[in-house]
Amino acid sequence: MSFPLLTATAAVPAIGAIVTAAVPAARRTAAKWIALTFSLATLVLAAIALVRFEPGGDRYQLTESHAWISDFGVRYELGVDGIGVSLMALTALLIPFVIAAGWHDADPLETKSSRWRPTQGFFALILMVEAMVILSFEATDVFLFYILFEAMLIPVYFLIGGFGDRAHAGGDEAGATQRSYAAVKFLLYNLAGGLIMLAAVIGLFVQAGTFSLTEIAAARADGTLDMSTGMERWLFLGFFLAFAIKAPLWPVHTWLPNAMGEATAPVAVLITAVVDKVGTFAMLRFCLQLFPEASKWATPVVLVLALISIVYGALLAVGQRDIKRLIAYASISHFGFIIMGIFAMTSQGQSGATLYMINHGISTAALLLVAGFLISRRGSRLISDYGGVQKVAPVLAGTFLIGGLATLSLPGLAPFVSEFLVLVGTFSRYPVIGIIATIGIVLAALYVLVLYQRTMTGPVNESVRHMPDLKLRELAVVTPLIALLLFLGVYPKPLTDIVNPAVEHTMSDVHKSDPKPEVEAAP
Amino acid sequence: MENLIALLIAAPLLGAGLLLCGGRRLDRVGHILGTLLAAASFVIGVVLFADMLGRSGDDRALHQHLFSWIPVESFQADIAFQLDQLSMTFVLLITGVGTLIHIYSIGYMEHDERRRRFFGYLNLFLAAMLLLVLADNYLLLYFGWEGVGLASYLLIGFWQHKPSAATAAKKAFLVNRVGDMGLSIAIMLMFTTFGTFAFGPVLESTGQASSGTITGIGLMLLLAACGKSAQVPLQSWLGDAMEGPTPVSALIHAATMVTAGVYLITRSGAIFNASPDAQLVVVIVGAVTLLFGAIVGCAKDDIKKALAGSTMSQIGYMILAAGLGPIGYVFAIMHLVTHGFFKAGLFLGAGSVMHGMNDEVDMRKYGGLRKYMPVTFVTFGLGYLAIIGFPGLSGFWSKDKIIEAAFAKGGTEGWILGAVTLLGAALTAYYMTRVMLMTFFGEKRWQPDAEGNEPKPHESPKSMTIPMIVLAFGSVFAGGLFSLNESFVKWLEPVTQFEHGHPPISAAAVTTLTVVVLLIGVGVAYLQYGRKPVPVTAPRGSLVTRAARRDLLQDDFNHVVLVRGGEHLTRSLVYVDHTLVDGVVNGTAASFGGLSGRLRKLQNGYARSYAVSMFGGTAVLIAATLLMRAV
């Protein structure tokens, strides 16, 4: 038996979480380094998996399969396609940055007793989330996926509720209240989605008699597993709703601004760049593959909801006064693009959506982490508390601008590639929706540039006059992310080579092929 | 040879990278480095030009394929370049004028502590602009298109501590994004229609697509052109863009970037030729902007804003010419090049004046400067003669041809367009004479600046005057050189095609008319500003004057409709999101909430209650599946 590489990518952070949590109270710096080391080890394993993955090969690779609860066919089954492996790699890539950026976010407050160990807990929880998210990108057993999908809520809940942003306008008391409100809201929303999905998972098992994704999909494809139209639609809805809450899609998006606003910036990155991607990933993997007909049936509604998300999220971002909530609404707009790309059911739309998940992860991390550095310096999240930062901290302002330009999908930076693919993929099947969605590119410029103008330009605000520029640790976090954004903006081919074959499979799952051009162009 | 094309872009790109990431170590040499790399690009351009001249007209295009950029099934975007006569013209203009303006900036920005960064941005602009004109497909053109938008944003807002500069930069980017929407949609339409968006296949297949589609593509391209080239209705950003340092106004907002729209339309000639409807709209946009810019230019007291109005108007001429089809493309580009010389020269002259006048921009506070700045006066004067179309100078040759082509459009349209272009020529002569008289003639009206320093006008350093002299040469001779033997027509014809127009009145009559309206414009301006003293504070003026000073109320309209309306919309949406959407979803969830609320009390903690429900859920799942197996 070969080395279980995929298991290792999840086991290493899981072990790391346990080790980090066990570090004694006084040795909190050691705990940070241990956590960072484990996350880097995970990154190495993920890189190996990425290299060993053969783009033209089998649909699922690096597979592992073990009996788990054999009585009713639950297996520990792992395998990655091009989409899963790249999202797994994205997760492994971002966590070291999250850890490094949050280096001081969980240093204990002086008022607490010395036995209190928040630092260890903070980093252990982050690693825990990493392990579960990575495994959920690899699980090819529906039951296993469901367990992970639900279980990852617990560490995230504690990360939001227990380690909130210390920069709170209303003081510590108000901060604590809003933090727990945000954490509970996050939990209840996702719990509701999870319960509905639970029913659908049971229903699926009743129909199929197995939890194995590959078996069910094969049976669906060759017609041995026939579902009534009504049943398929109900099951689709059960899965889709859970994923739409996680993604999140309008109108079940309102938990995200609260969660991202109250959490520390690195945790907000963890939520929006990593955890939420499980939702959009699962739409591609489960909704489209298991319920192709129902997916097509729901497409018009989903596309309209995605379109609303795009425009609505962007408009709300324009109206925000809080930096992190602004970025949260921008993310809602971007998730609209991802979901639109998935349900456009074209190669460009789906490849674009997958790239979008990755690029959004990187660009949001860049923007939000720099925003976090900014906020921690001034102790406020309100845009109006800043001004003229560019003059006192030019490097910070410069990196913030690049993160912002990535968010508004400037060509040359990675998000442009994915956004244009999603737009063109949608347009080629649904021209009107594609055209309306381009409004999103104007609004994105508006909220990004207004944010930049109000915080970074103009006369220097008194309260930021002595603000230090980025420190070495912070530069080490931002620089690689920016380099990656540039690289993937100019040369995304390595990524498209991996993703394209997986998208072809998905396209054939739903029996769709790309629309043909109107005329055959001259060569 | 074709491998040199990428180097054209690589040189300034390297400069941008080094200067922007290099840190303070490069402060002392940054400007030299930036200028040398711009010059290197120009030298490569000249080498390629010489090589191109060695081949026959139909065999001049070079292609270079670097690598595949975005490959997804039938969507294939490449990083690949095409250098034909049209691109070559732009390469020489961009790198030539670009290098001169780099040199000028060495002196102009000497006392700015962020000079290195300024040169980094200038290099970035050159790289993006070259990418725009060298791309061999529309998506890569889009890359350059937004790249120049970014450079323009950074440079307009270069003095970010001034809120007006930051606002102007943002406005320019936003208005351009509206245009970019058009470019995106055009590319998407091309992809769904032809399955590709590379120049060659698209432009060769226009005949096969439905006319509605072609018109759609044409109009979307026009929207993009309106944004970048400040044409009505997307013109409002250009005046504000004058907040940027003057060399930027000269290079980006006069000579090169703002003419990208003309490039786009000329490059896409086959699309417009196939759609008379789209062409008609292009012509209307050009004609309206031509007058709009000229009227605004007549009323402004800020020297740079007066020149900005003029730029808008002159680009209106080019767009109009491009809309005329094969009888106009060549002259659109010819006017673009001559305009590049004289307008860049005029802006640099304006910068030189400001340099000597404590950065004062109000022409009412100039006067009599010709004695103090002789070189600036002469070079600015030659640029002035060129732009008003003084016979024999550059602007005369190119503008005269456009007016002729406008008449040649034929029918009532031809007469209307001819009249508009003639009226524009008269207005040009008027507002430029006004600028000239208010700045260099009359009595001194100098005022101390905010800190009480009296202006001590002086000639600018050599690094500034030499570029002005070179551009003045171009302003005088380029047009004549291009028209000698119809050399410019022959040069571009293989790319843009060319048809001789047949105006209803003879060419000589057109020329005579042009000269007559020119003299009228100059004469009226002289009566108003040469014979009478110029008041230091602007008189109230007529209703039209006041409207023109406010850019014909375009900004007021934008403010009321877009800004205020947008603010109300976002504010109410924030409220709706908070109360309605959140409330309804929470309300729906309340039924679940009732249950979990009780659980909460029992367990005294959300997480525990959650853990319970999750394990409960798993238990239900297991029980259910076992039950199913039993059944």
Side-chain angles (χ1 to χ4, degrees), chain A residues 164-208:
Chain A
D165 197 326
R166 287 172 189 173
H168 207 285
D172 288 348
E173 195 88 349
T177 317
Q178 295 201 10
R179 216 156 39 232
S180 54
Y181 172 73
V184 170
K185 194 169 176 183
F186 162 81
L187 201 56
L188 288 181
Y189 266 72
N190 284 282
L191 175 60
L195 284 175
I196 296 164
M197 183 178 164
L198 172 65
V201 169
I202 296 171
L204 180 68
F205 181 74
V206 172
Q207 292 280 316

Side-chain angles (χ1 to χ4, degrees), chain A residues 217-486:
Chain A
R220 295 285 284 139
D222 63 23
T224 44
L225 173 57
D226 217 16
M227 281 183 206
S228 71
T229 312
M231 176 54 85
E232 187 184 337
R233 288 176 184 177
W234 279 112
L235 293 181
F236 167 84
L237 284 178
F239 278 86
F240 182 78
L241 191 62
F243 304 150
I245 289 174
K246 184 144 287 179
L249 181 68
W250 189 91
V252 285
H253 63 279
T254 53
W255 66 268
L256 186 71
N258 286 87
M260 280 178 70
E262 300 310 321
T264 64
V267 170
V269 170
L270 193 69
I271 295 170
T272 185
V274 175
V275 173
D276 285 351
K277 296 298 179 320
V278 180
T280 44
F281 162 80
M283 288 181 194
L284 259 178
R285 158 96 25 118
F286 295 100
C287 290
L288 261 52
Q289 201 173 334
L290 297 178
F291 317 110
E293 293 310 316
S295 297
K296 285 188 268 187
W297 162 75
T299 294
V301 176
V302 176
L303 284 178
V304 169
L305 291 179
L307 193 58
I308 293 175
S309 282
I310 292 171
V311 178
Y312 184 91
L315 281 173
L316 271 138
V318 175
Q320 295 304 311
R321 284 176 295 183
D322 175 317
I323 298 174
K324 278 157 73 190
R325 287 179 67 92
L326 186 151
I327 299 173
Y329 278 105
S331 286
I332 289 167
S333 179
H334 289 146
F335 281 115
F337 274 108
I338 296 173
I339 294 169
M340 189 174 86
I342 292 173
F343 279 85
M345 313 252 180
T346 55
S347 309
Q348 289 80 32
Q350 294 188 345
S351 283
T354 309
L355 294 190
Y356 211 125
M357 293 184 220
I358 294 156
N359 296 336
H360 172 260
I362 303 169
S363 68
T364 307
L367 182 65
L368 200 49
L369 291 179
V370 179
F373 300 149
L374 180 73
I375 290 167
S376 67
R377 279 165 167 69
R378 166 71 178 78
S380 167
R381 284 154 32 193
L382 289 180
I383 296 169
S384 55
D385 282 345
Y386 296 86
V389 173
Q390 198 275 332
K391 190 105 178 150
V392 288
V395 179
L396 191 154
T399 50
F400 191 67
L401 181 62
I402 297 175
L405 292 173
T407 303
L408 63 78
S409 298
L410 190 85
L413 297 167
F416 169 74
V417 174
S418 38
E419 189 160 300
F420 199 83
L421 281 172
V422 165
L423 281 173
V424 85
T426 308
F427 181 87
S428 61
R429 211 182 282 286
Y430 307 98
V432 176
I433 291 182
I435 287 173
I436 299 173
T438 55
I439 293 171
I441 71 175
V442 178
L443 292 175
L446 184 61
Y447 60 70
V448 166
L449 295 184
V450 168
L451 173 65
Y452 184 80
Q453 185 188 358
R454 296 208 177 134
T455 52
M456 299 297 170
T457 71
V460 180
N461 190 315
E462 264 320 300
S463 59
V464 302
R465 188 162 295 281
H466 302 292
M467 185 177 276
D469 212 331
L470 288 188
K471 292 193 276 281
L472 201 61
R473 169 181 64 88
E474 295 166 329
L475 264 180
V477 168
V478 180
T479 319
L481 291 174
I482 288 176
L484 210 57
L485 285 172
L486 279 167

Side-chain angles (χ1 to χ4, degrees), chain B residues 284-492:
Chain B
I284 292 172
V285 165
V288 170
T289 313
L290 188 172
L291 292 179
F292 186 104
I295 292 169
V296 170
C298 291
K300 292 283 183 183
D301 290 331
D302 178 326
I303 186 169
K304 286 181 72 181
K305 294 206 168 163
L307 289 177
S310 159
T311 302
M312 215 183 269
S313 168
Q314 297 301 314
I315 297 173
Y317 271 107
M318 301 170 208
I319 295 278
L320 187 153
L324 295 173
I327 56 172
Y329 293 129
V330 173
F331 301 122
I333 301 298
M334 184 161 137
H335 195 54
L336 191 156
V337 175
T338 57
H339 175 258
F341 286 123
F342 56 68
K343 187 52 71 60
L346 288 169
F347 265 111
L348 294 190
S352 177
V353 169
M354 288 160 57
H355 203 66
M357 294 291 287
N358 295 342
D359 287 330
E360 179 61 62
V361 290
D362 188 349
M363 292 188 290
R364 292 186 183 276
K365 296 171 185 164
Y366 292 164
L369 289 174
R370 68 180 185 282
K371 287 183 216 124
Y372 302 87
M373 308 176 148
V375 181
T376 306
F377 169 62
V378 172
T379 53
F380 194 95
L382 291 172
Y384 156 74
L385 290 175
I387 192 175
I388 63 172
F390 191 82
L393 272 67
S394 285
F396 167 76
W397 300 102
S398 47
K399 198 185 292 178
D400 188 52
K401 287 292 182 192
I402 292 179
I403 296 173
E404 214 181 293
F407 275 111
K409 169 91 172 161
T412 329
E413 282 170 38
W415 285 105
I416 295 174
L417 292 175
V420 167
T421 50
L422 279 176
L423 180 59
L427 288 170
T428 309
Y430 172 81
Y431 66 72
M432 283 311 300
T433 309
R434 177 176 175 268
V435 169
M436 200 66 197
L437 291 173
M438 284 173 89
T439 306
F440 292 103
F441 292 88
E443 74 287 16
K444 301 173 194 172
R445 300 178 302 274
W446 312 343
Q447 308 282 323
D449 67 7
E451 282 127 42
N453 302 318
E454 284 292 336
K456 298 187 191 66
H458 53 85
E459 191 51 86
S460 298
K462 283 231 163 50
S463 66
M464 288 167 67
T465 51
I466 289 172
M468 285 152 59
I469 293 167
V470 175
L471 288 170
F473 268 95
S475 311
V476 175
F477 298 113
L481 205 65
F482 291 161
S483 305
L484 206 66
N485 236 340
E486 292 204 313
S487 56
F488 200 78
V489 173
K490 286 177 188 154
W491 161 250
L492 274 188

Side-chain angles (χ1 to χ4, degrees), chain B residues 570-593:
Chain B
T570 51
R571 245 183 252 148
S572 39
L573 273 182
V574 169
Y575 179 76
V576 166
D577 194 57
H578 196 70
T579 51
L580 208 68
V581 180
D582 208 20
V584 167
V585 177
N586 285 352
T588 318
S591 46
F592 297 94

Side-chain angles (χ1 to χ4, degrees), chain A residues 64-220:
Chain A
E64 296 168 31
S65 181
H66 304 281
W68 184 16
I69 313 174
S70 48
D71 273 347
F72 48 103
V74 174
R75 296 180 67 82
Y76 175 80
E77 255 187 12
L78 303 182
V80 283
D81 62 357
I83 301 168
V85 77
S86 36
L87 286 169
M88 183 271 285
L90 169 77
T91 309
L93 174 81
L94 287 180
I95 300 298
F97 294 110
V98 167
I99 290 175
W103 206 247
H104 296 298
D105 282 0
D107 287 351
L109 300 169
E110 282 158 16
T111 51
K112 298 276 183 169
S113 75
S114 60
R115 290 186 55 199
W116 202 52
R117 298 195 302 170
T119 316
Q120 285 83 340
F122 183 72
F123 292 103
L125 286 168
I126 290 176
L127 288 175
M128 209 62 217
V129 175
E130 177 179 25
M132 294 190 204
V133 170
I134 285 184
L135 208 57
S136 70
F137 287 135
E138 298 169 345
T140 50
D141 184 281
V142 180
F143 185 85
L144 178 62
F145 176 83
Y146 168 73
I147 296 284
L148 293 163
F149 187 81
E150 291 285 88
M152 72 178 74
L153 300 180
I154 302 171
V156 176
Y157 166 83
F158 281 112
L159 280 170
I160 300 170
F163 302 91
D165 197 326
R166 287 172 189 173
H168 207 285
D172 288 348
E173 195 88 349
T177 317
Q178 295 201 10
R179 216 156 39 232
S180 54
Y181 172 73
V184 170
K185 194 169 176 183
F186 162 81
L187 201 56
L188 288 181
Y189 266 72
N190 284 282
L191 175 60
L195 284 175
I196 296 164
M197 183 178 164
L198 172 65
V201 169
I202 296 171
L204 180 68
F205 181 74
V206 172
Q207 292 280 316
T210 171
F211 284 112
S212 167
L213 176 75
T214 43
E215 280 176 37
I216 302 174
R220 295 285 284 139

